[in-house]
Amino acid sequence: MRTSTRTIATLTVIVTVITIAITVGAAKARPALDPAQYTRQTLTHGGVERAYYVHMPKGHTPTRPLPVLILLHGGGGSATQALTSYPLLPLSDREGFVLVAPNGTGPLPAEKMLTFNSGFGFGWAYNHHVDDTGFIRALITELAKTQSIDRRRVYLTGMSNGAVLCHYAAGANADLIAGIAPVVGSAGGSVSDRTPLTWPARPARPLDVIMFNGALDQHIPLEGGWQKKHAERAPRFIASAQQTANFWIEANGCNPTPKVEEMPAQQATRYTWSGGREGTRVVLYVLHNQGHAWPGGKGARIVADTPSPLLDTGQVMWDFFKSRTL
């Protein structure tokens, strides 16, 4: 009987490893990230060595401080996966900003199946209480020491799990971050609909926020409520996109009545709350033809949906960020 138990356990491990390999690699073949496009660097935070990738725009002058966009991958992804999936490298070259993609943490020695601890979930980082809001602060501080960056123009974006971390990292580090662009994320969530939602810390200063959510999303439901699709053993109860917007509207002191614009060509609706302190704004794009994906991305991972080709998310967020500084 003991032998049978061991056999079952061994088979379980094998199946788990195969599942991980399929999830990460077999969803859709992608070209490898060209090493000439980035440098891999590390820093130690909380006793753990953390890796991050830095892309300097073509033609940059080393002595000229440049704005920074930090890209946070989704749950189960990695920095290199995000850099190949979301077309921000050419945007970095075109617009002249430094693109930085850090890794989350995970159970494997390889840079795969990584997650961020983002307040109310998810995955290995959440279960192991990794200090990812502190890691983002340490990363920005390290970049200021090692790269020629404009510390008044540091922005965050992220997909899914990385989008949730955008909210929490900005709440905790508003003195370092000028704006965020979460893609299919939420600022609030809980393991139960009977317990209060977990929210980011109230930011010490206002900052610009632009969000992108899919009307068909079952991982981060637009209207909130229980996840219909999830990677955890049990679903999370998620705050709606409107509740998430309200968090930042109140934090910034924006006019609570939005300007609403229909965008037929993009199959989207844009909501803009303006008039915040220091001129801050909150913007929400609702993509009516999309679920859980990066609009304008190169293709769906097995754990995500097909991205809408009708909106260039990177260009939209950078046009929004251009004029915003600390």
Side-chain angles (χ1 to χ4, degrees), residues 31-302:
L33 187 64
D34 181 1
Q37 293 186 303
Y38 65 85
T39 59
R40 184 183 185 275
Q41 302 182 33
T42 61
L43 66 85
T44 299
H45 179 72
V48 178
E49 184 177 83
R50 304 289 297 267
Y52 59 98
Y53 293 78
V54 179
H55 172 78
M56 301 300 294
K58 292 179 180 178
H60 75 282
T61 303
T63 57
R64 180 189 172 197
L66 297 177
V68 179
L69 180 62
I70 297 175
L71 169 63
L72 305 173
H73 63 75
S78 68
T80 54
Q81 169 269 315
L83 288 169
T84 54
S85 297
Y86 317 133
L88 296 178
L89 285 166
L91 181 66
S92 166
D93 290 334
R94 189 166 65 246
E95 297 286 352
F97 62 83
V98 182
L99 179 61
V100 179
N103 273 331
T105 54
L108 302 177
E111 294 184 5
K112 295 180 179 180
M113 295 300 294
L114 305 176
T115 56
F116 292 108
N117 181 7
S118 52
F120 57 87
F122 302 85
W124 194 93
Y126 174 76
N127 293 329
H128 288 78
H129 310 290
V130 176
D131 177 22
D132 276 319
T133 57
F135 167 58
I136 297 301
R137 187 174 192 87
L139 175 60
I140 295 170
T141 302
E142 183 70 10
L143 290 170
K145 294 177 182 176
T146 60
Q147 310 290 334
S148 180
I149 68 167
D150 184 348
R151 294 197 63 164
R152 297 170 61 240
R153 300 183 68 197
V154 176
Y155 314 99
L156 300 185
T157 187
M159 163 75 184
S160 188
N161 177 225
V164 178
L165 181 57
C166 281
H167 293 290
Y168 283 80
N173 303 299
D175 58 319
L176 299 181
I177 297 167
I180 60 171
V183 180
V184 293
S186 174
S190 174
V191 296
S192 170
D193 59 350
R194 297 180 180 180
T195 58
L197 296 176
T198 298
W199 293 95
R202 178 73 67 169
R205 50 163 302 280
L207 64 156
D208 271 349
V209 177
I210 183 168
M211 306 182 298
F212 304 85
N213 287 85
L216 308 179
D217 196 338
Q218 296 186 334
H219 295 265
I220 302 290
L222 180 70
E223 301 299 331
W226 289 109
Q227 293 177 301
K228 294 181 176 64
K229 292 182 178 179
H230 54 91
E232 298 285 284
R233 291 181 180 178
R236 295 292 193 268
F237 193 82
I238 304 296
S240 69
Q242 181 64 63
Q243 288 174 298
T244 295
N246 288 345
F247 173 86
W248 291 108
I249 292 164
E250 293 171 8
N252 287 346
C254 294
N255 184 333
T257 302
K259 176 181 180 182
V260 182
E261 300 168 275
E262 297 299 333
M263 306 173 68
Q266 290 76 31
Q267 295 186 34
T269 304
R270 178 170 59 204
Y271 301 84
T272 303
W273 295 267
S274 56
R277 295 192 307 279
E278 300 179 22
T280 50
R281 304 152 292 169
V282 175
V283 175
L284 169 64
Y285 278 78
V286 174
L287 284 298
H288 300 292
N289 64 331
Q290 183 190 278
H292 198 68
W294 181 288
K298 291 184 178 179
R301 297 168 60 212
I302 199 169

